[in-house]
Amino acid sequence: MRIDPDVKLDFCDVLIKPQWSKAPSRSSVRLDREFTFKKCSWNGIPIIAANLDTVGTFSMAKAMAEHGMMTCLHKHYQLDQLVEFFRTAPKGCFYTLGIKTEDMQKLDDFSKRVDVLPFLCVDVANAHIQFAAERIKMVRDKYPNAVLMAGNVVTPELVHHLVINGGVDIVKIGIGSGSCCTTRLISGCGYPQLSAVIECADAAHGCGAKICSDGGVTCPGDVAKAFAAGADFVMVGGLLAGHDECDGERSDGKFKFYGMSSLEANRKYSGGLKGYRAAEGRCIEVPCKGPVSATLQEIAGGLSSAATYLGASKLKDFPKCCTFIRVNRTHNSVFESWIG
Ligand code: 5GP
């Protein structure tokens, strides 16, 4: 056993230091980015709705696209539904798959029925394991021209491995940060999200790849911090839960939201938990929140505001302009106990 003495930080451990700047007004801040991949490029605001079965829905994809944002569809749609959707899908939609043989087979069948392959996301809770890395490489070898996102990992070594050996274009970063995740409580494992992003962004950019910060965003300010830490994309789950575009159960103004490794999800898709496994997600109720558009505007507005504090005229410049300060308290919480 050894102890790494460096303190690793989360979004709640820092604030972005306000700077004097000649930054333009909020309205002229450019939040869109252009990314070039092997065979295509993408332009938009690089925020991605997470592939939870409640959040990564067809209707979320349409709403996100209206704001120039992306969606990672959940992997539980039927093949026919996916084929139908991707015939007219907005650009910037990810087809998600796991690493089981049946997931590979479904993608093969899918690829035969669509003209252009969408962006692909190979999603596994822990991509530090060899089998996961092998499966990710298998997808890359089969579909050399696809834009490939894969994860999740939290260390620069694994970022290098997935990019150099696995041919991944966008490495998804985050273990245990999610709002409905209990991995840290169940297994004691994880990595504070801000430090993971800072360290992994450096590793990915050094070898020409990109990262997506996945999990842990609790408010628009955290999205700004993730971009300032070096994330190229930021994935958001819980913040989008409960909106009209989500699929799931609603009653008495509440929406049922659960992690994809929760007992709830395991019951729904695998007939329950296998004897040797513990659930690593929770099931909660969130208020029904109406159309997602208002929340997306808040997030975009938060980024524009952060840009003016940072002195950045575009999202791309956030890391270059940012100094984080470590804090003991990020905000005044005096009225929070009165909410809800
Ligand atoms: P959020 O934006 O809600 O904080 O985080 C969303 C992310 O949490 C997802 O994209 C996914 O990586 C992760 N996640 C979703 N469900 C579970 C779960 O049941 N267990 C764990 N460990 N992580 C989850």
Side-chain angles (χ1 to χ4, degrees), residues 50-52 123 152 172 176-183 214-217 235-239 257-262 280-282:
N51 51 312
L52 300 151
D123 189 36
N152 282 17
K172 203 145 67 75
S177 302
S179 58
C180 49
C181 163
T182 55
T183 291
D214 175 22
V217 158
M235 183 170 270
V236 181
L239 220 54
F257 178 54
Y258 49 86
M260 295 314 293
S261 304
S262 63
E280 290 190 24
R282 57 169 64 90

Side-chain angles (χ1 to χ4, degrees), residues 16-21 308-311 321-323:
I16 295 168
K17 185 177 175 186
Q19 328 254 19
W20 185 88
S21 79
T308 62
Y309 282 108
L310 276 162
C321 298
C322 177
T323 300

Side-chain angles (χ1 to χ4, degrees), residues 322-339:
C322 177
T323 300
F324 284 116
I325 46 170
R326 286 187 61 186
V327 296
N328 292 326
R329 199 174 80 138
T330 53
H331 61 283
N332 185 337
S333 59
V334 66
F335 289 120
E336 281 182 6
S337 54
W338 273 262
I339 297 173

Side-chain angles (χ1 to χ4, degrees), residues 44-301:
I45 302 177
I47 293 175
I48 309 178
N51 51 312
L52 300 151
D53 68 344
T54 47
V55 172
T57 63
F58 292 148
S59 111
M60 184 65 77
K62 287 179 193 147
M64 295 294 286
E66 278 164 22
H67 289 260
M69 300 176 188
M70 308 169 103
T71 295
C72 216
L73 292 172
H74 69 76
K75 66 177 185 184
H76 298 289
Y77 281 120
Q78 300 298 314
L79 181 60
D80 285 345
Q81 293 177 293
L82 288 163
V83 171
E84 180 65 31
F85 178 78
F86 275 107
R87 286 207 173 107
T88 55
K91 206 181 164 218
C93 225
F94 285 85
Y95 171 113
T96 302
L97 68 154
I99 55 168
K100 291 187 187 148
T101 302
E102 67 221 49
D103 297 319
M104 303 283 162
Q105 186 59 51
K106 186 173 165 193
L107 176 60
D108 285 348
D109 296 341
F110 173 81
S111 70
K112 289 183 193 124
R113 292 178 56 184
V114 289
D115 297 332
V116 183
L117 210 57
F119 291 8
L120 301 179
C121 171
V122 184
D123 189 36
V124 41
N126 175 14
H128 295 82
I129 49 179
Q130 189 175 341
F131 180 69
E134 283 168 7
R135 284 284 156 113
I136 290 165
K137 181 165 179 348
M138 196 187 280
V139 174
R140 165 51 79 214
D141 290 344
K142 272 196 168 172
Y143 304 100
N145 296 334
V147 173
L148 178 60
M149 175 157 77
N152 282 17
V153 298
V154 285
T155 61
E157 296 76 23
L158 258 292
V159 169
H160 280 148
H161 184 64
L162 291 185
V163 174
I164 293 162
N165 302 327
V168 172
D169 298 301
I170 308 166
V171 184
K172 203 145 67 75
I173 308 299
I175 303 274
S177 302
S179 58
C180 49
C181 163
T182 55
T183 291
R184 294 183 187 173
L185 299 172
I186 288 288
S187 72
C189 300
Y191 209 101
Q193 190 66 13
L194 186 91
S195 288
V197 168
I198 292 170
E199 293 166 21
C200 293
D202 207 37
H205 297 159
C207 50
K210 296 164 183 57
I211 65 156
C212 174
S213 171
D214 175 22
V217 158
T218 64
C219 55
D222 289 344
V223 180
K225 290 175 188 177
F227 282 121
D232 302 286
F233 298 87
V234 177
M235 183 170 270
V236 181
L239 220 54
L240 305 182
H243 288 96
D244 293 352
E245 291 78 2
C246 294
D247 282 345
E249 289 174 35
R250 293 172 171 83
S251 64
D252 299 331
K254 301 276 188 204
F255 179 81
K256 190 156 114 180
F257 178 54
Y258 49 86
M260 295 314 293
S261 304
S262 63
L263 187 57
E264 202 72 22
N266 273 284
R267 278 193 185 131
K268 195 165 170 188
Y269 298 112
S270 319
L273 269 174
K274 307 237 163 48
Y276 57 89
R277 294 189 71 131
E280 290 190 24
R282 57 169 64 90
C283 178
I284 54 159
E285 285 188 328
V286 298
C288 292
K289 297 175 189 158
V292 76
S293 179
T295 298
L296 298 181
Q297 272 171 33
E298 292 256 299
I299 295 173

